[in-house]
Amino acid sequence: MNKKIAILRGINVGGKRKILMADLKSLCGKLGLENVKTYIQSGNLIFNSDRKNAELENDLEKAITEIFGFDVPIIVRTGKELETTISNSPFLDKDVDINHLHLTFLKEKPNKENIERTLAYDYGPDKFKIDNKDVFIFCAGKYHQSKLTNNFFEKHLKVGATTRNWKTVLKLSELSRS
């Protein structure tokens, strides 16, 4: 079985769209996912499944809507995909403080025209690089003060997105190996 990571967007933030991790874990078991683990309350799942990522995204989204009554966009990656993403980070070097690094996961690869249009924006000193279905972000200050948000990338790339800080990305990778 392949290790998979599901990243849920916008749950348990500010007391809205609440899903208890125990309930989410139970739901995953009902969908046939195995060895389900959760990581922090913001909606990160690690599990085993040989099903395709897109199928898992669809089934999880549909089940959450039916059970909890609201839509939750979900992005699924394999553990190997996440390891490759981490190794491709253009901002990771020995001198960078990882507290300034973030990764925006894209639901699908954006088209070339939307990528080019998005790359025209410069919000220095914050920087970003789009690589396939990932957007690597370096924020000179705090992420919540940056203009490089989920909404920015969804609006300009015209694909679904959700962001995690680099420490969470590394922890998800670690958990997918255990």
Side-chain angles (χ1 to χ4, degrees):
M1 289 241 167
N2 291 316
K3 285 283 189 174
K4 305 271 185 166
I5 298 107
I7 304 138
L8 288 69
R9 178 165 184 206
I11 66 164
N12 301 338
V13 178
K16 296 182 181 177
R17 297 165 37 110
K18 288 192 76 103
I19 300 176
L20 297 175
M21 292 301 100
D23 294 341
L24 187 58
K25 195 172 178 179
S26 175
L27 170 75
C28 290
K30 291 175 185 171
L31 292 174
L33 308 181
E34 298 180 10
N35 301 319
V36 179
K37 298 180 223 172
T38 62
Y39 178 67
I40 62 177
Q41 297 296 312
S42 60
N44 303 288
L45 295 166
I46 300 93
F47 54 88
N48 292 341
S49 177
D50 286 332
R51 295 167 55 197
K52 293 182 179 184
N53 291 0
E55 180 184 330
L56 289 164
E57 291 169 351
N58 185 51
D59 289 351
L60 282 164
E61 288 173 354
K62 183 177 175 185
I64 288 171
T65 300
E66 288 173 1
I67 292 170
F68 298 103
F70 49 84
D71 294 333
V72 175
I74 298 173
I75 296 172
V76 174
R77 300 283 170 85
T78 67
K80 288 181 181 181
E81 287 172 323
L82 188 56
E83 284 183 31
T84 299
T85 293
I86 290 168
S87 68
N88 288 341
S89 175
F91 303 123
L92 192 60
D93 66 39
K94 63 182 170 105
D95 297 325
V96 74
D97 177 353
I98 66 168
N99 292 310
H100 294 281
L101 302 181
H102 303 271
L103 179 66
T104 297
F105 296 88
L106 302 176
K107 187 98 164 165
E108 59 197 51
K109 185 177 178 180
N111 71 39
K112 186 177 178 179
E113 179 182 305
N114 291 336
I115 291 172
E116 289 173 1
R117 187 176 315 120
T118 305
L119 290 173
Y121 288 88
D122 180 3
Y123 291 119
D126 296 350
K127 300 181 262 185
F128 68 95
K129 181 179 182 214
I130 303 165
D131 182 14
N132 197 11
K133 295 192 303 183
D134 301 310
V135 180
F136 298 95
I137 301 170
F138 171 82
C139 291
K142 305 279 186 195
Y143 176 75
H144 73 273
Q145 297 170 327
S146 177
K147 294 184 189 273
L148 302 177
T149 64
N150 284 323
N151 290 337
F152 169 82
F153 290 112
E154 285 183 328
K155 178 181 176 184
H156 296 285
L157 294 174
K158 303 198 184 317
V159 298
T162 191
T163 301
R164 297 295 186 269
N165 66 51
W166 200 252
K167 286 182 182 179
T168 298
V169 171
L170 294 176
K171 186 65 175 181
L172 291 172
S173 178
E174 175 190 321
L175 291 170
S176 74
R177 292 190 302 269
S178 61

